[in-house]
Amino acid sequence: MAPVTSLASTVDQRIADALSAALPEAGPADPLLRRSDRADFQANGMLALAKKLKGNPRELAAKVVQALSTGDLVKEVEVSGPGFLNITVTDRAITETLAARAADDRLGVPRAADPGTTVIDYAQPNVAKEMHVGHLRSAVIGAAMVEILEFTGENVIRRHHIGDWGTQFGMLIQYLTEHPHELDHSSAEIVSGEEAMSNLGRLYKAARTIFDSDEEFKARARDRVVALQAGDAETLAQWQRFVDESKIYFHSVFDKLDMEIRDEDVVGESGYNDMLEETCRILEETGVAVRSDGALCVFFDDVKGPDGNPTPLIVKKSNGGYGYAATDLSAIRDRVGNLKADTLLYVVDARQSLHFKMVFETARRAGWLNEDVKAVQLAFGTVLGKDGKPFKTREGETVRLVDLLDEAVERASAVVREKAKDLTEDEIVERGTQVGIGAVKYADLSTSAARDYKFDLDQMVSLHGDTSVYIQYAYARTRSIFGKAGDRSPVAHPELELAPAERALGLHLDQFGEVLNEAASAYEPHKLTAYLYQLASLFTTFYDKCPVIKPAPPQEIAENRLFLCDLTARTLHQGMTLLGIRTPERL
């Protein structure tokens, strides 16, 4: 199927053609078309044009109306205000465009004509450490951007840059060497994520206690760091045990989040070890980095500390150790040189913005980033409690991610149980999980990523307002209509007049591809959530105002309304799938 041109694009083109015909002296001009409350669309481009041509905007607008080709597309055009064009399209145009969308598996959404390759760096937990609420946003936002970009045709490579290297491993490996059974499992059967994390947590505390109190152990631990960095086989084998144990735990959390994290996409800090020395050598030889007090540094005119002195990016410390910058710059070299990426997208906390600004500028100076290869930080804000402060437990500790997800499922299950009429207990449990996890993801994604947001479970699982549960119930309602439709099936009838609620729903359905394109190009998944919420709201109004089953309308009207129900269901399902949220058929 060919992609479907939206009504907005078609109207925009018709007005642009009319502008060229009526005012050839103006050259190419943008009609500045947008949706309007006063008509289906409003074009505001005449005002800027009148300024340019030193004419009267209303008179220019009238000339454009005369030159406008209407055909089956435009029902009415009026000049309003200082020279706006208010355009109403025909009911036939709406239904025919939607029928073309319905005939396509992709709902008429075009694939990018010239797709690139984007590496998305997201979901970055640390080995041997528990995931907390701070890890939520990178995973949820990153996974949604992967799906949205892939749907628009981009070639996407996932990367999970886990924290699996560094001096703390000397302490952990030395302790495990001296207590070799600390990571043994209680049985040979499948190990739960909870058991794996419990093992790691217990070992970490014990190792930290002895490290802080025993100078001889501390010296052995530091020697172990040197052995790890030198690639000593026994030390690496012990390090691998920590990585493997942590992966059992990570995968259990990502499974709970209903998110697939593939082993081949997990390339942690350790994955770039062999490149670090060469990265430093290139930066120093090209003059991008310079020695300062024994450290290898990159300086920037606009980055200064509180004392007014330049704050450098430290690539290599004076003691010969490598900073995060060396790893991040090596990762850029790998992603550009080996993975052939032309976009690097980092879904990382806004508090790391200065670090990434300096890293990206360094990579530009080194020539790894340029006009053809860009790096972007999709910076996200903090998860706050209801009190507007960073989310903590009552004891003031960071909230464990698994506890938070379990509570969301528990709350959602209670909502589903209350509403369930004919669901079995197993179905209530399954739906409760889908609704609870969906609620957490949607709350995260429905806020602009850059903003902080309040984690309020009561609001998240509410059936009212801008929540995933509201959208999931709207989807389930579309499916229940088909259960009662009998032998009637969805058929588009372009010859029919549309009721106001049908028109509003139809025009919104037609915008799906444009909204997806905006969300993909600006890395703003909240634009898709806003679209889906409005679609569910418009469907609810349509359902109330336009009977589909009872009282039974005439056959053609019933078929056309079933057609609108079906396209709404498919659009809601596709949109929620891209956000990583399930849409149960029954709720």
Side-chain angles (χ1 to χ4, degrees):
M1 280 288 298
V4 178
T5 305
S6 70
L7 288 166
S9 294
T10 308
V11 170
D12 189 82
Q13 188 58 53
R14 289 275 178 97
I15 296 172
D17 292 345
L19 274 166
S20 297
L23 308 164
E25 67 276 20
D30 186 347
L32 297 178
L33 191 77
R34 60 181 180 82
R35 288 295 308 278
S36 168
D37 295 336
R38 301 205 172 142
D40 295 335
F41 300 100
Q42 187 176 79
N44 302 338
M46 283 1 95
L47 280 80
L49 212 54
K51 222 175 209 178
K52 181 180 169 186
L53 298 176
K54 297 185 170 51
N56 180 313
R58 280 188 69 89
E59 287 174 13
L60 294 181
K63 282 185 183 177
V64 173
V65 171
Q66 283 181 324
L68 186 64
S69 158
T70 54
D72 284 343
L73 175 68
V74 178
K75 180 181 179 182
E76 188 183 346
V77 189
E78 63 163 11
V79 179
S80 79
F84 301 140
L85 292 184
N86 285 339
I87 303 120
T88 303
V89 295
T90 64
D91 292 347
R92 174 176 287 278
I94 293 172
T95 306
E96 283 181 346
T97 302
L98 295 182
R101 291 198 178 285
D104 178 33
D105 287 344
R106 291 175 51 81
L107 303 171
V109 177
R111 280 191 174 87
D114 187 19
T117 296
T118 297
V119 173
I120 300 192
D121 189 327
Y122 70 108
Q124 310 106 339
N126 292 313
V127 165
K129 288 190 180 170
E130 186 142 34
M131 289 176 71
H132 54 76
V133 67
H135 290 107
L136 180 67
R137 299 205 73 185
S138 176
V140 170
I141 296 167
M145 281 314 311
V146 166
E147 297 299 328
I148 290 168
L149 286 169
E150 282 189 336
F151 192 75
T152 59
E154 184 77 354
N155 173 37
V156 176
I157 300 171
R158 303 157 172 81
R159 276 294 174 267
H160 309 294
H161 191 91
I162 63 171
D164 65 352
W165 204 248
T167 53
Q168 77 275 18
F169 282 99
M171 174 185 86
L172 296 173
I173 293 167
Q174 187 58 35
Y175 187 85
L176 185 60
T177 304
E178 296 176 17
H179 304 81
H181 299 297
E182 283 296 300
L183 288 183
D184 290 356
H185 298 136
S186 54
S187 73
E189 291 169 21
I190 293 172
V191 183
S192 71
E194 200 67 37
E195 184 187 341
M197 194 60 240
S198 173
N199 277 348
L200 290 164
R202 191 178 60 249
L203 190 152
Y204 188 91
K205 280 179 187 158
R208 170 57 68 185
T209 300
I210 192 167
F211 184 84
D212 290 342
S213 61
D214 184 334
E215 287 302 319
E216 288 183 4
F217 176 81
K218 189 180 280 189
R220 293 196 298 277
R222 285 179 175 150
D223 289 344
R224 190 60 73 173
V225 175
V226 176
L228 178 65
Q229 290 175 340
D232 172 64
E234 182 203 342
T235 304
L236 281 173
Q238 297 285 49
W239 168 81
Q240 190 64 48
R241 289 184 69 191
F242 283 101
V243 174
D244 292 343
E245 194 79 3
S246 297
K247 280 185 177 177
I248 295 170
Y249 164 68
F250 294 159
H251 284 302
S252 74
V253 179
F254 290 124
D255 283 348
K256 218 179 259 276
L257 263 172
D258 196 15
M259 196 177 286
E260 185 192 18
I261 302 289
R262 300 181 306 221
D263 257 5
E264 62 266 31
D265 300 330
V266 178
V267 183
E269 295 166 355
S270 63
Y272 305 102
N273 266 344
D274 295 347
M275 300 176 70
L276 301 181
E277 190 51 48
E278 189 181 17
T279 297
C280 292
R281 182 179 58 74
I282 294 169
L283 292 173
E284 191 167 11
E285 285 178 0
T286 54
V288 173
V290 294
R291 293 279 167 185
S292 176
D293 295 331
L296 187 62
C297 303
V298 183
F299 288 91
F300 310 86
D301 292 339
D302 58 344
V303 183
K304 292 184 169 64
D307 57 2
N309 291 326
T311 301
L313 181 71
I314 299 173
V315 186
K316 192 174 187 180
K317 301 170 192 171
S318 55
N319 67 1
Y322 298 101
Y324 287 123
T327 307
D328 287 332
L329 289 162
S330 297
I332 289 175
R333 284 179 56 215
D334 175 61
R335 293 165 185 185
V336 175
N338 298 328
L339 301 181
K340 308 299 179 196
D342 39 50
T343 303
L344 307 178
L345 183 61
Y346 292 77
V347 188
V348 184
D349 192 314
R351 287 170 293 192
Q352 295 187 47
S353 293
L354 179 59
H355 169 77
F356 278 100
K357 178 187 168 189
M358 293 160 83
V359 165
F360 296 163
E361 174 57 26
T362 300
R364 266 191 290 274
R365 292 179 188 177
W368 304 324
L369 298 177
N370 50 48
E371 283 181 9
D372 301 320
V373 186
K374 63 175 179 176
V376 181
Q377 184 191 356
L378 202 178
F380 55 82
T382 305
V383 182
L384 307 174
K386 285 186 191 179
D387 59 2
K389 295 175 182 170
F391 200 17
K392 304 275 186 188
T393 63
R394 283 197 182 90
E395 296 73 39
E397 292 173 6
T398 308
V399 179
R400 296 168 74 223
L401 187 49
V402 284
D403 292 344
L404 184 135
L405 298 177
D406 287 343
E407 190 180 349
V409 169
E410 200 178 302
R411 297 276 187 96
S413 298
V415 172
V416 172
R417 181 170 274 107
E418 198 178 307
K419 291 281 289 184
K421 294 189 179 79
D422 54 354
L423 297 179
T424 65
E425 184 58 29
D426 283 351
E427 286 174 326
I428 289 171
V429 170
E430 182 196 32
R431 305 296 195 279
T433 301
Q434 294 174 344
V435 169
I437 298 302
V440 170
K441 289 182 176 180
Y442 186 89
D444 194 321
L445 294 166
S446 59
T447 304
S448 166
R451 291 173 55 191
D452 299 342
Y453 82 99
K454 287 184 184 175
F455 196 92
D456 182 349
L457 273 177
D458 292 328
Q459 173 56 30
M460 286 179 190
V461 299
S462 169
L463 296 168
H464 309 288
D466 187 3
T467 66
S468 66
V469 195
Y470 177 76
I471 298 171
Q472 286 168 320
Y473 266 100
Y475 175 79
R477 181 178 275 172
T478 65
R479 305 322 297 155
S480 73
I481 288 170
F482 283 91
K484 301 168 188 165
D487 58 355
R488 282 169 291 188
S489 54
V491 181
H493 286 276
E495 73 280 4
L496 291 177
E497 276 190 35
L498 297 175
E502 292 173 308
R503 285 183 61 85
L505 179 62
L507 285 165
H508 193 69
L509 282 166
D510 187 47
Q511 288 180 281
F512 183 55
E514 289 172 347
V515 169
L516 269 185
N517 189 43
E518 281 179 35
S521 58
Y523 309 123
E524 293 182 328
H526 71 274
K527 289 188 170 167
L528 177 55
T529 61
Y531 171 86
L532 294 171
Y533 172 60
Q534 198 180 348
L535 178 55
S537 303
L538 288 167
F539 175 75
T540 302
T541 304
F542 158 82
Y543 183 82
D544 291 342
K545 299 271 174 69
C546 303
V548 183
I549 308 298
K550 287 181 182 176
Q555 178 83 3
E556 289 85 358
I557 292 176
E559 288 177 346
N560 201 59
R561 287 177 179 170
L562 280 169
F563 160 73
L564 286 171
C565 289
D566 185 54
L567 188 56
T568 299
R570 288 173 59 195
T571 306
L572 287 173
H573 173 74
Q574 181 62 72
M576 292 290 263
T577 299
L578 296 177
L579 298 174
I581 299 173
R582 303 274 177 179
T583 42
E585 298 283 310
R586 291 191 309 144
L587 271 173

